[in-house]
Amino acid sequence: DGGITQSPKYLFRKEGQNVTLSCEQNLNHDAMYWYRQDPGQGLRLIYYSQIVNDFQKGDIAEGYSVSREKKESFPLTVTSAQKNPTAFYLCASNSDRGYHYGYTFGSGTRLTVV
Amino acid sequence: DQQVKQNSPSLSVQEGRISILNCDYTNSMFDYFLWYKKYPAEGPTFLISISSIKDKNEDGRFTVFLNKSAKHLSLHIVPSQPGDSAVYFCAASAFGNTPLVFGKGTRLSVIA
């Protein structure tokens, strides 16, 4: 079955540590995205990539970094510079066809800073 | 500055009645609009979409209406079912595959 896999589902991080969230897709989609969900805030765009080896900052990129070395993978690193990292993180992908036929989302990673 | 606004954080509807979820947008470059449904601790799932060249799109119990002059769209669910209870996100995109911009969501509760 094609889809997006995010791991882990739950992640705990100590203050000052970097942590990497995994996102893998087998849909052969060109574009991949990272969103963050906070209560009452909706989904806010962190980073996106429309092609391998290229990515762009979203609205809230500060304190985050990404890489896109393979089409299938778009890992997100939450660095110690991110002031409030506790949130639900969602990865998505879609086929680059000009118009959206709907993103496919992963099941999310809940990150908690302890 | 919020480009996509869902001004009702929550909505309660009785089973069998109509649910109407509203969404307003400010960016006149948006030309494609989508609705997503989300359960807790899961990723959103695509529900229905509409292009700016249309004013209505139906899919079973779900209908989306677009009023471009008012920069307003709405999702109608008829009849509402308990399984429809979820958070619904409105999203919009400008031509050229720019990333989707999401509203803050509306939590729908369908009461049996």
Side-chain angles (χ1 to χ4, degrees):
Chain A
D1 273 345
I4 295 187
T5 301
Q6 288 187 245
S7 60
K9 194 165 180 65
Y10 300 96
L11 189 56
F12 296 89
R13 191 196 89 173
K14 290 184 181 178
E15 293 268 3
Q17 280 184 339
N18 291 358
V19 65
T20 297
L21 283 60
S22 171
C23 178
E24 304 275 334
Q25 54 102 355
N26 60 4
L27 299 164
N28 200 33
H29 283 172
D30 294 306
M32 297 185 74
Y33 309 83
W34 275 105
Y35 285 87
R36 168 180 170 147
Q37 186 189 12
D38 295 280
Q41 290 294 321
L43 277 63
R44 293 183 291 168
L45 182 67
I46 305 172
Y47 267 99
Y48 66 103
S49 168
Q50 294 183 314
I51 196 167
V52 174
N53 292 323
D54 189 39
F55 48 83
Q56 284 77 40
K57 293 182 179 180
D59 301 318
I60 56 166
E62 185 175 348
Y64 299 97
S65 66
V66 293
S67 63
R68 187 88 187 276
E69 297 175 2
K70 298 185 300 181
K71 189 175 186 178
E72 303 79 22
S73 178
F74 191 39
L76 174 75
T77 296
V78 185
T79 75
S80 56
Q82 170 47 235
K83 303 254 185 286
N84 186 18
T86 294
F88 189 57
Y89 290 86
L90 287 159
C91 180
S93 71
N94 83 316
S95 177
D96 187 10
R97 292 287 183 266
Y99 274 102
H100 292 277
Y101 295 95
Y103 287 0
T104 301
F105 279 89
S107 55
T109 294
R110 181 163 298 281
L111 173 63
T112 304
V113 174
V114 296
Chain B
D1 180 33
Q2 253 193 298
Q3 298 185 69
V4 177
K5 300 178 186 179
Q6 294 178 257
N7 292 320
S8 299
S10 62
L11 175 68
S12 288
V13 171
Q14 279 205 309
E15 181 179 6
R17 306 295 287 266
I18 184 171
S19 296
I20 300 176
L21 293 88
N22 294 305
C23 178
D24 298 293
Y25 62 96
T26 57
N27 188 342
S28 57
M29 298 299 291
F30 287 149
D31 69 338
Y32 204 77
F33 305 89
L34 306 92
W35 285 92
Y36 284 82
K37 176 179 179 179
K38 185 182 181 300
Y39 295 115
E42 293 183 11
T45 54
F46 170 72
L47 196 56
I48 192 169
S49 63
I50 188 166
S51 163
S52 60
I53 62 173
K54 296 185 176 181
D55 55 19
K56 178 182 173 182
N57 188 28
E58 282 183 87
D59 184 1
R61 296 185 297 116
F62 303 93
T63 302
V64 56
F65 295 92
L66 175 62
N67 182 336
K68 282 189 297 182
S69 61
K71 292 191 176 70
H72 177 83
L73 61 154
S74 60
L75 173 68
H76 293 210
I77 306 174
V78 182
S80 301
Q81 300 173 352
D84 296 330
S85 297
V87 177
Y88 289 79
F89 289 100
C90 174
S93 174
F95 183 74
N97 209 22
T98 58
L100 291 177
V101 178
F102 286 84
K104 292 187 175 183
T106 296
R107 181 178 302 278
L108 173 66
S109 300
V110 180
I111 304 159

